[in-house]
Amino acid sequence: MNNNHFQIWENCLTVIKDNVSPISFSTWFQPIVPLKLDNEILTLQVPSHFFYEYLEEKYIDLLRKTLRKELGPNAKLEYNVVMENNHMANVKPLSVVVPGNNPANTKNRPVKNPFSQEEPSIKNPFVIPGIKKLQIDSQLNPDYTFANFIEGDCNRLARSAGWAVSENPGGTAFNPLVLYGDSGLGKTHLAQSIGLKAKELHPEKTVLYVSSQKFQTQFTEAIRNNNKNDFLHFYQMIDILIIDDIQELAGKEKTQNTFFHIFNHLHQSGKQLILTSDKAPIELKGMENRLLSRFKWGLSADLQNPDYETRVRILQQKAYKDGIILEADVIEYIATHVTNNVRELEGALISLLAQSTLNKKELNLELAIEIIDKLVKNTKREISIDYIQKIVCDHFNMAVDLLQAKTRKREIVQARQIAMYFSKSMTKASLSTIGSQIGKKDHATVLHACKTVNNLIDTDRAFKTQIDEINKKLKM
Ligand code: ADP
Ligand code: MG
């Protein structure tokens, strides 16, 4: 029996060092501790299960060759995986026997789960099922394809960068690929198209789509259940990671920190990251600088409001997909009047369809004008403090300028309070702006007014009815 496992491993390392990059060497080989040599079986201790999988996937050929050189053709390798979830006192090395001299056995072989002795069916801590490679549900929506994503000037760069990434994930300069733009412009759709296409072209790669919110929840859960390492390793196993609405991680330092490690790991191993955000990376507030600077390593491509031509083509495509025929004048009418974003464009089409089927009306220009005008009025008209004052005074049959009068007459005070209350809930104006516009009052008066109105709503039914009526008038 040869006890000199240190020397054997040292010899192996000398060969390995010449065959891998310095970073890979320090990341993947230096942390390995040789434990024993028993006949021709060398046992190596690795820090985690993920580590073991990674070695098996990337370096098994190299390991096998070097080991055979040292120990002869019957050389075998065993791994000891340090249990990660337990406290130090409980660290129990666990052997995973790996037949290191059987080439057919080493590629894509299902990996034995080192925790399975204690947890026969490993509970999935992250909602997303599966911890083993190839079994992860990518969480992609099959409708969000490139084919369904209409190209226009508004999205050309983002789309073609996305296409390039899906053809060659991790292999382009677009890593990470950050897609940004206002809500409803197609960030989620495009990000998922990339995932779907990449899966189609590279079925062996693990793709995962996750919203930042879900990522955050999983992280919190992992911390609570004391399995942050599992969380990390799970994400570090992904080949193409898509994280949607990254701006939602703003201010969440711990999650950002963990994401930073995942990002680094994936990026260093040539894996692809695709992120979306409602703002350009430089405008993201509440994000760690070291994370923001990494976002800039790749490409940030923005999605803009579609122009008229693109809106027409999007509508044509959606109608075609839903199997309906729309006259050109209907499409033109919608495309001319619904200009904010693609989501609203879709919404308009759906309302139109619903109205026409529910009320058995013909789907023509007349109906389109009726429906779209209502929609546009609802979404476009921003309620102003002036408008609120007017509606409130109309309701009480009083002149608007009475609200500005220096008087403590009960009706006027109450109308003023109601106007303040609606201004607070329906506009983005600050308390002091509201106060200065309604009777030249200060912010404390506005705050008091809101409290008073809320109290009355809770205690006075007649008053509540009045408020509901005004509310309805304001929204008409
Ligand atoms: P975001 O994530 O930017 O808020 P989404 O990706 O959810 O926007 O897009 C909103 C809706 O508009 C989705 O139903 C999507 O399919 C559609 N959409 C956006 N851009 C396009 C496009 N270029 N072609 C076709 N549909 C689009
Ligand atoms: Mg989205």
Side-chain angles (χ1 to χ4, degrees), residues 144 148-150 155 184-189 318 342-343 346:
Y144 283 160
N148 291 339
F149 190 80
I150 302 291
N155 59 34
L185 293 182
K187 300 180 296 291
T188 299
H189 185 144
K318 304 264 176 221
V342 185
R343 191 173 290 130
E346 279 184 353

Side-chain angles (χ1 to χ4, degrees), residues 13 337 396 445:
L13 283 183
H337 290 87
F396 292 116
T445 311

